[in-house]
């Protein structure tokens, strides 16, 4: 039984859209346990023949404020290295899930929360959402593939600006940068993500998986892996 991550299938016949829901109020801060549960859920959904696409959702208030700093600050150096491995495994599991994935973003997507959103194939956000590669504000660099994923999404120069400054980006700028794919009213984010994911429900699962693998293979060849 999981504590912070659950999967919910939309009603209907045949292959359906699943929601991978992160629920750790109030900010969905990411702990080692959350990452483990995320990795397990992504692996499980990837193996299900009755799931056609996946929406990653943090609830109607906030996607994720990033790493749980109180937990991180209690770790020894050895434990911190292991924690980074756990987080990287979770992000990779989501990125390599062999089905289309859409992040439905509300509230904030900051630091490691932004990295998690970048692991999805597409991102839909409310027009009031704030984004940021904010690790530097805590005296840290983005862990794992965070900076590389951001650079692939918006380009090296713009990614360096966000990573080096830690500044917040509103939804309109995020759309201009290419950080998100669609901006909608806050109360329609989840429905818009479902609609986006539903565009691929009728395509053969094995063909979609192969198409997605071709992108992941290209990213690894370019040095995008951990």
């Amino acid at each position: 039984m999981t504590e912070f991550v659950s999967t919910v299938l939309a009603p209907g016949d045949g292959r359906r859209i699943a929601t991978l829901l992160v629920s750790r109020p109030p900010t969905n801060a990411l702990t080692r346990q959350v990452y483990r549960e995320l990795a397990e859920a992504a692996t499980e959904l990837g193996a299900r023949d009755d799931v056609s696409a996946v929406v990653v959702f943090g609830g109607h208030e906030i996607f994720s404020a990033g790493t749980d700093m109180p937990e991180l600050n209690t770790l020894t150096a050895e434990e911190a290295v292991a924690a980074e491995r756990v987080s990287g495994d979770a992000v990779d599991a989501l990125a390599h899930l062999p089905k289309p994935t859409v992040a439905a973003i509300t509230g904030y997507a900051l630091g490691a929360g932004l990295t998690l959103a970048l692991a999805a194939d597409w991102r839909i956000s409310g027009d009031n959402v704030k984004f940021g590669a904010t690790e530097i504000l805590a005296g840290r660099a983005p862990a794992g593939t965070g900076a590389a994923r951001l650079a692939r999404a918006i380009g090296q120069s713009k990614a360096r600006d966000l990573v080096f400054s830690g500044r917040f980006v509103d939804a309109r700028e995020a759309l201009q940068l290419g950080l998100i794919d669609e901006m909608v009213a806050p109360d329609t984010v989840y429905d818009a993500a479902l609609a986006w994911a539903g565009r691929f429900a009728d395509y053969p699962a094995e063909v979609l998986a192969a198409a997605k693998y071709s992108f992941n293979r290209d990213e690894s060849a370019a040095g995008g892996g951990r």
Side-chain angles (χ1 to χ4, degrees), residues 5-157:
V5 178
S6 60
T7 56
V8 181
L9 263 65
D13 297 326
R15 299 173 64 243
R16 293 172 287 175
I17 300 170
T19 299
L20 195 164
L21 176 64
V22 180
S23 181
R24 187 172 182 263
T27 64
N28 285 341
L30 301 169
T31 63
R32 290 171 293 177
Q33 181 62 27
V34 174
Y35 278 125
R36 291 188 190 100
E37 293 181 17
L38 277 166
E40 291 170 5
T43 300
E44 176 195 349
L45 289 171
R48 293 189 62 155
D49 293 334
D50 60 339
V51 171
S52 59
V54 176
V55 171
V56 185
F57 190 42
H60 294 285
E61 299 297 326
I62 184 169
F63 185 77
S64 175
T67 299
D68 187 293
M69 294 306 296
E71 179 188 74
L72 187 61
N73 289 335
T74 67
L75 303 182
T76 65
E78 183 177 351
E79 289 171 335
V81 170
E84 182 170 338
R85 187 178 308 115
V86 169
S87 67
D89 288 345
V91 171
D92 284 350
L94 178 58
H96 294 104
L97 199 158
K99 305 175 192 296
T101 55
V102 183
I105 306 170
T106 56
Y108 293 89
L110 305 177
L114 177 58
T115 299
L116 187 66
L118 288 166
D121 297 319
W122 297 279
R123 286 158 293 284
I124 311 298
S125 96
D127 59 20
N128 61 345
V129 173
K130 300 293 185 184
F131 300 86
T134 53
E135 290 91 343
I136 200 166
L137 302 181
R140 300 178 182 276
T145 57
R149 292 185 186 281
L150 183 60
R152 286 199 296 271
I154 67 173
Q156 286 280 350
S157 179

Side-chain angles (χ1 to χ4, degrees), residues 15 45-53 96-100 200-215 217:
R15 299 173 64 243
L45 289 171
R48 293 189 62 155
D49 293 334
D50 60 339
V51 171
S52 59
H96 294 104
L97 199 158
K99 305 175 192 296
F200 311 102
D202 294 332
Y203 290 92
E206 63 277 10
V207 176
L208 282 172
K212 183 163 181 175
Y213 174 73
S214 69
F215 284 94
R217 179 184 57 210

Side-chain angles (χ1 to χ4, degrees), residues 65 107-111 129-135 137 161-162 165-171 173-174 177 179:
Y108 293 89
L110 305 177
V129 173
K130 300 293 185 184
F131 300 86
T134 53
E135 290 91 343
L137 302 181
D161 168 41
L162 297 188
S165 70
R167 70 182 180 87
F168 282 34
V169 171
D170 65 23
E173 183 178 359
L177 289 171
L179 189 56

